[in-house]
Amino acid sequence: MKRRRVKITGVGPVTPAGVGREAFWQGILEPVSYVRRFEKLGEEYGPLVAAHIDRFNVAKFVDRDRLPKGIGRHTQFAVAGAVLALQDSGLTETELETRDCLVVTGSSLMDFGGISNSTYAVYSRGPQAALPRTIFTTTNANVTEAVSRALNIAPRTMTLQNSCCSGLDAIGYAAGVIARGEAEIAICGGTEAPLHRCPLLELRAAGLTPPTVETPERLARPFDLWRTTGVVSEGACMFVLEAESSPRPGYSFVSGYAVANDPVGEVCGGLVEAANLALADSRMKAERVDAINAWGPGHRQIDAGEADAMRRVFGGMLGEIPVLSIKGAIGSALGAAPAIQIGVAALAQRHGVVPATVNWQYPDPACAFNVHGRPRAVDHAVTLVNAHGVGNVNSCMILERC
């Protein structure tokens, strides 16, 4: 059976840089960092920084009566993102009710806030204080259920958990279903809300977020010579995917997608295979790629590993390809991060702009990328989007401008 082309017709970002397509795009174009001190946990837990979303209220997007009581923050982000993506596409709930629909989300973590609250209640007051709803509201599967309830639809659902690649994998899975003709509309993307005592303290102990609050806006420095480690953030980006025959205009086609694991002892080495397989899936050669939306968390080893992988894929062409990382601006929202990257890539193709790699200032010979600290006007039609996660997992996607 002939594979249908799949296009993105709606984008719904919920991020520290902005909520909604226009606010998000303007926020990303500002070459500034949204990372700052994170004091919500209290001083007793030591120095923490993060890029977080202020004054978020899911009731601005959907009637609270449509949502289960006690749903987690990452679930609320996904609901808001889905509503925004549908509004952006022009689809209505009535149209969804009459179409074969799929909802797919990706998250690397469960609702640690809800789990911690229930655990603390039992620890403090005994077994009778256990919160039964924790079983139903803290799982990643609850995200797709809540999105379906909020939209008043009964779709097929799927939840993916593949470390920080989860959001990109959700989009890749959904695109495959539509390409095969098994659904007409997919609402998909990634969401994450990790700014709780657990896992923030563990991430800091593992060296995956900084142990200092000094100049927080400068701590996330992708590909910069003086980078140290990444910064954790929160957020979501949801999308509407449809077949090419849809009457609604598209941003980009999801032309290729692939996953691969790192060889033993080779950080990001799996990006070589993932990128090559994604190119093969899109039936493109490497020279067709006009821009790379890199993983680039600002971690010393991971950034260098990604740069080496891209050198092995693109060879001498790499220096001519504009590369960006959004992590200097908004940190890494773990499983939601690559979905947010897809949102940036699609909007960048439409507007002919490659956003800045915020905080990149001093070139590192180990990261020989064509990056810039300011936005660049670049007409580009094909973008490679990279994702890498704990567990030696990698995912790549090729977006082609509609």
Side-chain angles (χ1 to χ4, degrees), residues 47-382:
L48 289 165
V49 298
H52 54 94
I53 302 169
D54 289 328
R55 296 181 294 277
F56 175 79
N57 184 358
V58 71
K60 292 181 180 179
F61 304 94
V62 64
D63 190 328
R64 275 275 191 180
D65 291 340
R66 289 192 177 190
L67 300 177
K69 185 178 179 180
I71 63 169
R73 187 169 171 87
H74 71 321
T75 304
Q76 296 179 43
F77 289 161
V79 168
V83 171
L84 288 166
L86 285 171
Q87 291 173 350
D88 188 42
S89 71
L91 274 165
T92 66
E93 288 186 14
T94 301
E95 288 179 283
L96 286 179
E97 291 173 359
T98 60
R99 304 289 293 277
D100 189 4
C101 185
L102 174 74
V103 175
V104 188
T105 60
S107 303
S108 68
L109 301 173
M110 296 168 63
D111 173 23
F112 273 76
I115 294 169
S116 296
N117 289 340
S118 185
T119 302
Y120 182 76
V122 172
Y123 176 79
S124 302
R125 303 195 301 274
Q128 70 280 1
L131 301 175
R133 68 169 181 260
T134 302
I135 296 297
F136 305 99
T137 60
T138 61
T139 68
N140 287 341
N142 177 254
V143 178
T144 51
E145 179 186 6
V147 169
S148 303
R149 284 184 57 173
L151 300 178
N152 196 30
I153 57 176
R156 287 176 289 156
T157 64
M158 176 63 70
T159 306
L160 301 180
Q161 195 282 338
N162 190 28
S163 189
C164 288
C165 297
S166 300
L168 192 147
D169 292 336
I171 300 164
Y173 177 90
V177 172
I178 292 179
R180 295 189 297 271
E182 298 169 11
E184 295 302 314
I185 297 171
I187 300 165
C188 59
T191 186
E192 205 83 78
L195 304 184
H196 304 288
R197 181 176 56 186
C198 173
L200 269 183
L201 300 185
E202 289 78 8
L203 287 165
R204 186 180 64 191
L208 296 175
T209 198
T212 177
V213 294
E214 185 176 352
T215 59
E217 70 282 357
R218 295 285 293 164
L219 290 175
R221 303 171 66 93
F223 307 122
D224 187 86
L225 179 64
W226 301 110
R227 70 193 182 278
T228 55
T229 189
V231 172
V232 179
S233 66
E234 63 179 0
C237 198
M238 299 292 288
F239 302 88
V240 174
L241 301 187
E242 300 183 73
E244 183 179 20
S245 58
S246 160
R248 281 165 286 279
Y251 290 90
S252 307
F253 293 109
V254 180
S255 293
Y257 161 68
V259 302
N261 294 91
D262 292 339
V264 175
E266 192 176 330
V267 176
C268 288
L271 281 173
V272 177
E273 183 180 8
N276 283 327
L277 288 173
L279 286 165
D281 189 43
S282 65
R283 297 169 178 81
M284 291 185 191
K285 294 183 177 181
E287 50 262 37
R288 287 282 308 279
V289 174
D290 301 315
I292 300 173
N293 195 305
W295 181 242
H299 186 281
R300 180 153 292 279
Q301 286 75 36
I302 295 172
D303 284 13
E306 181 177 17
D308 181 65
M310 293 300 96
R311 179 190 57 78
R312 291 157 62 186
V313 173
F314 294 99
M317 297 182 293
L318 184 59
E320 303 301 317
I321 303 172
V323 177
L324 75 144
S325 168
I326 61 173
K327 306 297 172 53
I330 60 172
S332 176
L334 306 184
I340 298 171
Q341 289 174 238
I342 293 291
V344 170
L347 291 168
Q349 286 185 348
R350 171 167 287 191
H351 293 284
V353 176
V354 174
T357 299
V358 172
N359 288 332
W360 181 86
Q361 187 175 2
Y362 300 102
D364 181 358
C367 300
F369 277 146
N370 178 3
V371 296
H372 204 286
R374 304 288 298 184
R376 293 175 280 179
V378 179
D379 182 45
H380 57 291
V382 178

